[in-house]
Amino acid sequence: MKKKIYILTALLGLLLVLFFVANFIIKNKIESYLKNDLPPNISLSYKTVSISLLAGNASIEQVNLLLKDKGINLKFSNLDFKNFHLIKLLFSDTIHIEDCNLKNPKISIDQSQIKIIKDNNKANQKNQIIIVDEFSIENAEMKLKDKLGKKELSFINGNSQIKNILFETNPKKEKKLKYKIENLTSENLFYRIDEEQYLTINKINSESQNLTFENLKIDYIKNNINKFNYIKKGNDLLSLNVKKLQLNPYFYSFDDLISIKSKSVSIVNPEFTIYSHLYSQNVKVEHKPLYSEWLRNLKINLDIDKVVVINGKIVYAEHDQLSNAPGKISFTKLNATVKNFKNKDSINDLIDINATFNFMDTATSKVHWTARIYNPKDEFTFKGYVKNLNINQLNLFTVNTLNAKSEGKINQANFDFKGNNYDATGNMNVEFSDFKILLLKEKTKKERKILNAINNIFTNRKEKEKDKIIKNYTVLRDQNRPFFNFVWLFLKHGLLVKMTAIK
């Protein structure tokens, strides 16, 4: 009996020795490969490599990895692999890892530092399929620079769980990385949209099928020279602040286009400013797209059943001449529902918007706006009403854009028109009282007394016709101005025809 126990103990001891020897051999082989056999485009340094054959675990610590042909530098404290078979690794083309954990990675991608490096042995390198069931990332930081060394993207405190990762190390044909993001959080995201506009998000949280952005902001760099050069190319300056944006549920894909799909999106406390400037001496903008054309050409596939806007604000500022201040109109306490917000469905392409708001802070207003995204003429409908508007509030816009100021009150204005990329036709009725308009000189903004006297004679006559509806009048679109200017042209024409001698 004792003899059997001795034999069993000896065998167990021998197995342990063999495992330790195997551990030592495999560890040396891995370290030798990392030191001597990496492709010429990869530079790697690390502190330690640990392996446990019995548990099927491995880890590497204090790593500095450089991919020279990609401009990628990756530093991290720990990369841990759990539950994979090192023995199979030596004899199989497939590496299957159940769990992988990356801690404190700092990722730097600088496209200005990319180097072209030839790898003559790439064709002879073994192709291995790597499968990772679950890959978790803790406390990640990332910085991305473009080919000119300008920052394009950055974030901190990134945490994520990624499942079902599948890729090949040296495929004959380029294949996309397959994966599924389960959870994602990050802070202080920065993304440069173009040379002047940028996006920041304070917090991102993706949990299960819900996605939340907190304190989302789109703005422009506060540099007058850059701002002027940007505007001279015909661009509008956009500024957006959103307290919270939620998608519930959401789905995404990265195929030919980035695709975002959701049943419901809520936007809480958005503040949106559009600044449109046409410097007459330098700018030649032949065409600014309407929103339907802009959405149609957007390089993102949006498929959202419903968007709800809660307590928003929109300010449209239009600037014609350097000598004048910009004219402004505003929409506050904005609540809206947008249905069928889709931009790549050529059949089901009707976007439907219902909105209530205060025009110029005080006038109760409502609009119903529809647009077909794939209509070649970008046709749309726009109807609604404005109630109890003190006309002098419009002076914020009209003094510097129309060289006119007014007094009085619009009790109610109803409008209903159809438009396209070229013109708009419709009806308008305005109920007003105590109306008076003063025409101004362009440079000094002083009153044009003779013209004002003549105009107010006609204005008094118009008082007697204030129940008359202006029907089927048409305005032409100014092709180098955005949609808000187009709507204003239609409303302005109706107001002037209804209440003054101006046509």
Side-chain angles (χ1 to χ4, degrees):
M1 185 69 180
K2 289 183 178 181
K3 187 176 180 181
K4 290 182 178 180
I5 293 174
Y6 290 144
I7 294 172
L8 183 59
T9 302
L11 287 173
L12 289 174
L14 180 61
L15 285 173
L16 287 173
V17 171
L18 289 174
F19 268 110
F20 281 118
V21 171
N23 255 4
F24 179 77
I25 293 172
I26 292 175
K27 178 182 176 182
N28 283 345
K29 282 186 173 293
I30 290 174
E31 289 182 333
S32 175
Y33 174 80
L34 295 178
K35 184 177 181 180
N36 302 314
D37 298 326
L38 288 174
N41 63 308
I42 298 177
S43 174
L44 176 70
S45 64
Y46 60 91
K47 185 177 180 181
T48 58
V49 172
S50 302
I51 293 172
S52 173
L53 284 177
L54 282 173
N57 299 337
S59 68
I60 183 169
E61 298 180 359
Q62 304 299 328
V63 174
N64 187 350
L65 173 66
L66 178 63
L67 303 180
K68 301 173 186 178
D69 60 335
K70 305 292 184 182
I72 298 175
N73 182 213
L74 171 62
K75 299 178 181 179
F76 55 86
S77 59
N78 290 81
L79 178 59
D80 300 320
F81 304 93
K82 294 182 180 180
N83 301 324
F84 77 103
H85 301 284
L86 287 169
I87 300 299
K88 288 184 178 180
L89 172 60
L90 302 175
F91 304 101
S92 174
D93 291 336
T94 300
I95 302 172
H96 187 183
I97 304 168
E98 291 185 15
D99 189 8
C100 184
N101 179 249
L102 178 62
K103 295 180 180 179
N104 305 313
K106 293 185 177 181
I107 308 161
S108 175
I109 304 175
D110 190 343
Q111 297 178 4
S112 67
Q113 300 299 315
I114 291 176
K115 298 179 180 178
I116 300 174
I117 298 174
K118 292 184 179 181
D119 186 359
N120 297 324
N121 295 321
K122 186 173 182 179
N124 300 322
Q125 289 173 6
K126 186 179 181 180
N127 181 40
Q128 289 186 310
I129 299 172
I130 299 178
I131 300 171
V132 182
D133 292 341
E134 185 168 328
F135 181 39
S136 60
I137 302 172
E138 299 178 18
N139 192 31
E141 294 182 21
M142 181 177 179
K143 293 181 181 179
L144 170 64
K145 295 182 179 180
D146 64 11
K147 294 179 180 179
L148 299 176
K150 294 182 179 179
K151 184 169 75 169
E152 281 196 332
L153 174 70
S154 67
F155 62 81
I156 63 170
N157 197 23
N159 300 277
S160 181
Q161 281 187 315
I162 307 171
K163 292 188 175 182
N164 305 327
I165 300 173
L166 174 65
F167 67 96
E168 297 182 31
T169 59
N170 190 27
K172 293 181 179 179
K173 293 183 179 180
E174 186 174 348
K175 295 184 179 180
K176 295 179 180 178
L177 173 68
K178 295 182 179 180
Y179 61 93
K180 181 181 180 183
I181 298 176
E182 289 285 315
N183 297 301
L184 172 67
T185 63
S186 68
E187 296 179 358
N188 297 348
L189 180 138
F190 171 92
Y191 173 68
R192 185 159 58 88
I193 300 171
D194 55 29
E195 60 196 72
E196 184 64 23
Q197 307 268 167
Y198 64 88
L199 163 73
T200 60
I201 303 174
N202 189 31
K203 287 186 179 181
I204 299 174
N205 184 19
S206 168
E207 193 171 356
S208 185
Q209 291 184 333
N210 301 327
L211 177 63
T212 302
F213 301 109
E214 294 184 16
N215 297 320
L216 181 150
K217 181 179 181 180
I218 295 176
D219 211 342
Y220 52 89
I221 298 170
K222 302 300 189 292
N223 180 299
N224 287 333
I225 295 176
N226 290 350
K227 174 182 170 181
F228 183 74
N229 290 334
Y230 187 77
I231 292 170
K232 282 203 301 183
K233 296 177 182 178
N235 298 303
D236 293 332
L237 290 176
L238 307 178
S239 178
L240 173 66
N241 286 278
V242 177
K243 184 177 181 181
K244 183 179 286 188
L245 189 153
Q246 291 182 303
L247 292 84
N248 181 20
Y250 86 103
F251 308 92
Y252 67 91
S253 64
F254 297 95
D255 296 324
D256 295 332
L257 285 176
I258 296 174
S259 181
I260 299 174
K261 184 176 181 179
S262 179
K263 289 188 177 298
S264 177
V265 173
S266 65
I267 306 173
V268 180
N269 299 134
E271 294 186 3
F272 186 35
T273 299
I274 306 162
Y275 178 81
S276 180
H277 200 316
L278 189 65
Y279 290 116
S280 59
Q281 66 269 34
N282 289 318
V283 181
K284 291 184 179 180
V285 183
E286 294 183 0
H287 174 72
K288 279 189 178 179
L290 296 180
Y291 290 122
S292 51
E293 180 183 349
W294 182 82
L295 283 169
R296 184 168 64 245
N297 295 330
L298 192 66
K299 297 186 183 302
I300 298 176
N301 179 14
L302 298 171
D303 186 351
I304 301 170
D305 291 347
K306 183 173 72 171
V307 179
V308 178
V309 179
I310 302 168
N311 193 30
K313 178 180 179 180
I314 299 175
V315 175
Y316 173 68
E318 186 175 292
H319 208 162
D320 278 326
Q321 300 294 332
L322 285 169
S323 58
N324 294 339
K328 293 182 179 180
I329 55 176
S330 64
F331 313 85
T332 56
K333 295 184 179 180
L334 171 68
N335 294 283
T337 300
V338 183
K339 295 180 180 179
N340 202 47
F341 192 66
K342 303 178 181 182
N343 68 331
K344 299 298 179 183
D345 188 338
S346 59
I347 298 175
N348 184 20
D349 69 334
L350 180 66
I351 291 180
D352 187 286
I353 302 170
N354 277 286
T356 60
F357 52 90
N358 286 348
F359 179 57
M360 304 303 284
D361 291 327
T362 59
T364 302
S365 307
K366 182 177 181 179
V367 299
H368 181 210
W369 173 17
T370 66
R372 288 204 172 274
I373 302 302
Y374 272 82
N375 185 280
K377 290 185 178 181
D378 293 298
E379 294 177 342
F380 65 90
T381 66
F382 199 87
K383 64 181 179 179
Y385 63 78
V386 177
K387 293 181 179 179
N388 301 320
L389 174 65
N390 290 321
I391 298 177
N392 58 2
Q393 290 177 300
L394 287 177
N395 292 335
L396 291 171
F397 190 80
T398 60
V399 166
N400 292 310
T401 59
L402 295 178
N403 296 309
K405 66 180 181 179
S406 51
E407 299 173 0
K409 184 178 180 180
I410 294 178
N411 301 317
Q412 181 160 335
N414 297 292
F415 49 87
D416 184 355
F417 63 95
K418 296 180 180 181
N420 54 49
N421 201 16
Y422 309 101
D423 55 45
T425 301
N427 309 318
M428 188 171 180
N429 185 36
V430 184
E431 297 177 11
F432 61 93
S433 57
D434 302 322
F435 181 76
K436 184 178 181 181
I437 188 168
L438 298 174
L439 304 179
L440 308 175
K441 295 180 180 179
E442 183 174 349
K443 293 183 179 180
T444 64
K445 303 304 178 186
K446 292 182 179 180
E447 292 185 26
R448 305 175 72 172
K449 294 182 179 180
I450 297 176
L451 284 177
N452 286 330
I454 296 171
N455 182 66
N456 284 314
I457 292 172
F458 283 92
T459 300
N460 292 330
R461 293 178 182 175
K462 293 285 182 178
E463 286 273 4
K464 300 176 183 179
E465 304 174 0
K466 59 185 177 182
D467 294 329
K468 185 178 179 181
I469 298 175
I470 307 169
K471 294 184 178 181
N472 296 322
Y473 70 92
T474 299
V475 297
L476 298 179
R477 184 192 170 207
D478 189 342
Q479 289 286 318
N480 61 13
R481 293 299 177 94
F483 177 77
F484 280 98
N485 176 269
F486 193 13
V487 173
W488 170 246
L489 284 177
F490 184 88
L491 299 179
K492 179 193 74 173
H493 184 82
L495 289 170
L496 293 179
V497 171
K498 178 73 176 181
M499 299 188 293
T500 75
I502 304 172
K503 293 187 179 180

